[in-house]
Amino acid sequence: DGPALESIEEMGAWINDVAIMPFDPGQMFAAGSGGSVFKSMDGGLSWNRTSILGSGEKPAHHLFVRSSTELMVIHDGYLFVSADGGLSWTSKLENCEFLSPTRDDVTSTIAFCNDYFHVTADGGQSWQVLDSNVPGTVASNITAFVATDLSKWYAGTENENNGPDGRVYRTTNGGLSWQEVNLPEKPECKIANRGILLHPSNPNIVFVGLAEPYGNAFAFGTTTLYRSDDGGDTFNPLNPSIVASQLVPLAVDSTGRLLVGGDTGLHRGSNLGNGPWGQIPPPQDADGIQFHNVEMALIDPANEFSFVVPAANGVATAKDLGMTWQLSKNGMVAGTWSNIGVTSDGSKLICFESDNNKMAFLDNGNWIYSTITEDLPIASVTDDANGELYATLVDGGTAQFVN
């Protein structure tokens, strides 16, 4: 019998982060379950897995795209860097929590790893430890981090002074010293995960969102969202009247619409969050889209009516300000696959799972699955002159794949 076919549409993948290629919105990357990284060349209509970073216990997150070749992503605490568009990755740093490109310096990226800040100016190939301090009481309490440039950064925390409270800190000298930022009317709560957003074109505008530390919804009317118009010197409360346990400022378009997310889905507010506000209709059950807690979303720079949001089973897109949603998961294979490659003649895209000795190759939009003849973990896959696929085992031997 031939190999069994499994439709991509029946599988799906838990997506945690999405990035759009600068100056080419048709190219998109997504990262998620099992350390998978996917690439789309058609604006998210279809996807190909470019690589797998290893199984790990956490999905890949904090995905950043500098160019068509330079990518960075954190997976299971490791910071991986790719210089070939995601085809191969190198682990550079460990115990990493945050990764932020500097807004005003297109060449630099700052990472928070091993309780220190690091900076790169060459696409992540080399990193320098910065002579900086860590805000707050404990380094691991940082929940949000963004950088305007190499000098001005913002950080949010949780669990200050052994309690549930969190704070916002700002540095203007590259982390040598930090000042706590005053958030008026702030309840006792933490700064939301990824809860600090820089305006894309005005460095003086900064948004901060809060999260209830125990997952309970804030009381109606509680201030949970702030905006600074003077680079963090002062913050003013915004009152979107959204009942949720957290609000995360996600993106701002050129008209001043602020997109925020959280456990109640997506909301948008005009006039940089001054309002009026409205909830973006969530996907219907018939759409098959499963939103997890929305802590990340993009506005398509080529069409500001279009939103891109990671979902539990793919990437969700809406091209009409969120009125209707479409799930894109074509090409997103679930599972903990350990590597991917292309046969020497370029005819087959292959990936394999080392733990279960399984291989899959893409054929006319379907993944065809096969098993190996030997019960040993796979190290790599190659093909011969006839196109037959062979696996190199961890003991140095080889075995042929069977249908």
Side-chain angles (χ1 to χ4, degrees):
D1 295 333
L5 296 179
E6 291 189 66
S7 169
I8 296 298
E9 298 300 325
E10 297 174 355
M11 302 183 71
W14 182 289
I15 300 302
N16 205 51
D17 212 341
V18 178
I20 295 178
M21 182 71 66
F23 311 112
D24 185 3
Q27 292 192 51
M28 301 170 61
F29 289 84
S33 54
S36 304
V37 179
F38 302 92
K39 182 177 182 179
S40 173
M41 297 294 292
D42 53 15
L45 295 178
S46 61
W47 298 82
N48 286 322
R49 186 196 298 269
T50 66
S51 49
I52 189 79
L53 307 177
S55 58
E57 297 180 355
K58 302 176 182 178
H61 64 102
H62 284 81
L63 170 67
F64 289 104
V65 178
R66 277 298 195 189
S67 68
S68 60
T69 57
E70 296 179 0
L71 291 82
M72 303 180 200
V73 66
I74 294 176
H75 169 57
D76 209 35
Y78 292 90
L79 193 158
F80 290 89
V81 172
S82 173
D84 55 13
L87 295 179
S88 62
W89 295 82
T90 303
S91 175
K92 294 292 184 178
L93 298 171
E94 60 184 22
N95 298 321
C96 296
E97 298 181 53
F98 287 96
L99 183 67
S100 175
T102 51
R103 179 198 165 283
D104 293 341
D105 180 356
V106 296
T107 64
S108 298
T109 301
I110 298 174
F112 183 63
C113 306
N114 286 316
D115 294 343
Y116 290 96
F117 290 101
H118 302 69
V119 66
T120 180
D122 57 8
Q125 297 305 310
S126 61
W127 293 84
Q128 175 187 353
V129 178
L130 295 173
D131 183 16
S132 58
N133 298 309
V134 177
T137 55
V138 182
S140 59
N141 286 353
I142 295 180
T143 61
F145 174 75
V146 294
T148 301
D149 50 36
L150 291 177
S151 297
K152 181 179 283 188
W153 313 338
Y154 301 86
T157 67
E158 63 179 346
N159 299 331
E160 291 275 1
N161 299 321
N162 298 317
D165 200 26
R167 299 168 186 171
V168 174
Y169 296 87
R170 180 186 62 166
T171 178
T172 57
N173 54 16
L176 293 177
S177 61
W178 296 80
Q179 302 81 40
E180 182 179 349
V181 169
N182 178 45
L183 299 179
E185 304 177 21
K186 178 185 172 295
E188 188 178 75
C189 63
K190 64 182 182 179
I191 307 305
N193 186 41
R194 293 188 173 188
I196 304 178
L197 173 71
L198 299 177
H199 190 283
S201 60
N202 188 335
N204 290 319
I205 299 179
V206 186
F207 299 90
V208 173
L210 308 181
E212 207 282 330
Y214 306 109
N216 302 314
F218 287 105
F220 182 81
T222 302
T223 299
T224 54
L225 191 65
Y226 295 85
R227 187 186 77 228
S228 172
D229 298 324
D230 53 16
D233 289 339
T234 59
F235 278 83
N236 297 312
L238 302 174
N239 294 297
S241 299
I242 300 171
V243 178
S245 65
Q246 71 169 343
L247 284 184
V248 183
L250 301 172
V252 183
D253 68 15
S254 61
T255 70
R257 281 186 296 251
L258 173 63
L259 189 67
V260 301
D263 56 311
T264 57
L266 285 167
H267 306 261
R268 63 175 179 267
S270 303
N271 302 308
L272 296 176
N274 285 329
W277 281 85
Q279 182 173 16
I280 296 174
Q284 302 299 309
D285 292 340
D287 298 329
I289 299 173
Q290 303 170 26
F291 274 166
H292 40 73
N293 196 7
V294 181
E295 296 179 349
M296 193 275 164
L298 295 175
I299 297 175
D300 189 339
N303 175 14
E304 292 192 334
F305 285 77
S306 179
F307 302 146
V308 183
V309 181
N313 53 342
V315 174
T317 58
K319 300 184 181 299
D320 50 9
L321 287 178
M323 299 305 294
T324 56
W325 291 90
Q326 178 181 358
L327 180 67
S328 172
K329 60 178 179 178
N330 182 33
M332 288 187 169
V333 184
T336 55
W337 299 84
S338 60
N339 209 338
I340 193 165
V342 180
T343 56
S344 59
D345 62 359
S347 64
K348 293 184 178 68
L349 179 67
I350 58 176
C351 60
F352 57 93
E353 186 179 28
S354 59
D355 292 338
N356 297 314
N357 301 320
K358 292 184 180 297
M359 183 201 70
F361 63 89
L362 193 62
D363 183 21
N364 293 324
N366 292 308
W367 285 96
I368 298 179
Y369 292 86
S370 183
T371 55
I372 196 170
T373 55
E374 301 290 339
D375 187 21
L376 284 172
I378 303 168
S380 63
V381 172
T382 58
D383 61 317
D384 61 18
N386 297 320
E388 296 294 334
L389 296 173
Y390 287 82
T392 300
L393 308 179
V394 294
D395 65 351
T398 60
Q400 184 178 2
F401 282 101
V402 297
N403 290 335

